Coordinates of all heavy atoms in Angstrom, one line a residue:
V27 N 71.8 78.2 9.8 CA 71.3 77.4 10.9 C 72.1 76.2 11.2 O 72.5 75.9 12.3 CB 69.8 77.1 10.6 CG1 69.3 76.1 11.7 CG2 68.9 78.3 10.6
S28 N 72.5 75.5 10.1 CA 73.3 74.3 10.2 C 74.7 74.7 10.9 O 75.1 73.9 11.7 CB 73.5 73.6 8.9 OG 74.3 72.5 9.0
E29 N 75.2 75.7 10.4 CA 76.5 76.1 10.9 C 76.5 76.4 12.4 O 77.4 76.0 13.1 CB 77.0 77.4 10.2 CG 78.5 77.8 10.6 CD 79.0 79.0 9.7 OE1 78.3 79.3 8.7 OE2 80.1 79.5 10.1
V30 N 75.5 77.1 12.9 CA 75.5 77.4 14.4 C 75.1 76.2 15.1 O 75.6 76.0 16.3 CB 74.4 78.6 14.6 CG1 73.0 78.1 14.4 CG2 74.7 79.1 16.0
L31 N 74.3 75.3 14.6 CA 73.9 74.1 15.3 C 75.1 73.1 15.4 O 75.2 72.3 16.3 CB 72.8 73.3 14.6 CG 71.4 74.0 14.7 CD1 70.4 73.2 14.0 CD2 70.9 74.3 16.2
A32 N 76.0 73.2 14.5 CA 77.2 72.3 14.4 C 78.3 72.7 15.4 O 79.3 71.9 15.5 CB 77.8 72.3 13.0
T33 N 78.2 73.8 16.1 CA 79.3 74.2 17.0 C 78.7 74.6 18.4 O 77.5 74.9 18.5 CB 80.0 75.4 16.4 OG1 79.1 76.5 16.2 CG2 80.7 75.2 15.1
D34 N 79.5 74.6 19.4 CA 79.2 75.0 20.7 C 79.0 76.6 20.6 O 79.9 77.2 20.1 CB 80.3 74.7 21.7 CG 80.3 73.2 22.1 OD1 79.4 72.5 21.7 OD2 81.3 72.8 22.6
T35 N 77.9 77.1 21.2 CA 77.6 78.5 21.1 C 77.6 79.1 22.5 O 76.8 78.6 23.3 CB 76.3 78.8 20.4 OG1 76.4 78.2 19.1 CG2 76.0 80.3 20.3
V36 N 78.4 80.1 22.8 CA 78.4 80.8 24.1 C 77.5 82.0 24.0 O 77.6 82.8 23.2 CB 79.8 81.2 24.5 CG1 79.8 81.9 25.8 CG2 80.7 80.0 24.5
T37 N 76.5 82.0 24.9 CA 75.6 83.1 25.1 C 75.4 83.5 26.5 O 74.8 82.7 27.3 CB 74.2 82.9 24.4 OG1 73.4 83.9 24.7 CG2 73.6 81.5 24.9
G38 N 76.0 84.6 26.9 CA 75.9 84.9 28.3 C 76.8 83.9 29.2 O 78.0 83.7 28.8
D39 N 76.2 83.4 30.2 CA 76.9 82.4 31.0 C 76.6 81.0 30.6 O 76.9 80.0 31.2 CB 76.5 82.6 32.5 CG 76.9 84.0 33.1 OD1 77.9 84.5 32.5 OD2 76.1 84.4 33.9
I40 N 75.9 80.8 29.4 CA 75.4 79.5 29.0 C 76.2 79.1 27.7 O 76.4 79.9 26.8 CB 73.9 79.5 28.7 CG1 73.2 79.9 30.0 CG2 73.5 78.2 28.2 CD1 71.7 80.0 29.8
T41 N 76.6 77.8 27.7 CA 77.1 77.4 26.5 C 76.1 76.3 25.9 O 75.8 75.3 26.5 CB 78.5 76.6 26.7 OG1 79.4 77.5 27.2 CG2 79.0 76.0 25.4
L42 N 75.7 76.7 24.7 CA 74.7 75.8 24.0 C 75.5 74.6 23.2 O 76.4 75.0 22.4 CB 73.9 76.6 23.0 CG 73.0 77.7 23.6 CD1 72.4 78.5 22.5 CD2 72.0 77.1 24.6
P43 N 75.3 73.4 23.6 CA 76.1 72.3 22.9 C 75.7 72.1 21.5 O 74.6 72.5 21.0 CB 75.7 71.1 23.7 CG 74.3 71.4 24.2 CD 74.3 72.8 24.5
A44 N 76.7 71.7 20.7 CA 76.5 71.4 19.3 C 75.5 70.2 19.2 O 75.4 69.4 20.0 CB 77.8 71.0 18.7
I45 N 74.7 70.2 18.1 CA 73.7 69.2 17.9 C 73.9 68.5 16.6 O 74.1 69.1 15.5 CB 72.3 69.9 17.9 CG1 72.0 70.5 19.2 CG2 71.2 68.9 17.5 CD1 70.7 71.3 19.2
D46 N 74.1 67.2 16.7 CA 74.3 66.4 15.5 C 73.0 66.4 14.7 O 71.9 66.2 15.2 CB 74.6 64.9 16.0 CG 74.9 64.1 14.8 OD1 75.4 64.6 13.8 OD2 74.7 62.8 14.8
H47 N 73.1 66.7 13.3 CA 71.9 66.9 12.6 C 72.3 66.6 11.1 O 73.5 66.5 10.7 CB 71.4 68.3 12.7 CG 72.3 69.3 12.2 ND1 73.4 69.8 12.9 CD2 72.4 70.0 11.0 CE1 74.0 70.8 12.3 NE2 73.5 70.9 11.1
A48 N 71.3 66.4 10.3 CA 71.5 66.3 8.9 C 70.9 67.5 8.2 O 69.9 67.9 8.5 CB 70.7 65.0 8.4
L49 N 71.7 68.0 7.3 CA 71.3 69.2 6.6 C 70.8 68.7 5.2 O 71.4 68.0 4.4 CB 72.5 70.1 6.3 CG 72.3 71.3 5.4 CD1 71.3 72.2 6.0 CD2 73.6 72.0 5.2
Q50 N 69.5 69.1 4.9 CA 68.8 68.7 3.6 C 68.4 70.0 3.0 O 67.5 70.7 3.5 CB 67.7 67.8 3.9 CG 68.1 66.5 4.6 CD 66.9 65.6 4.9 OE1 65.7 66.0 4.7 NE2 67.2 64.4 5.4

């Protein structure tokens, strides 16, 4: 989960932006 949230993700015509987060 942390890895995918840390990067821009392209799905279809949409790019989901990376989300700054803390992994615990």
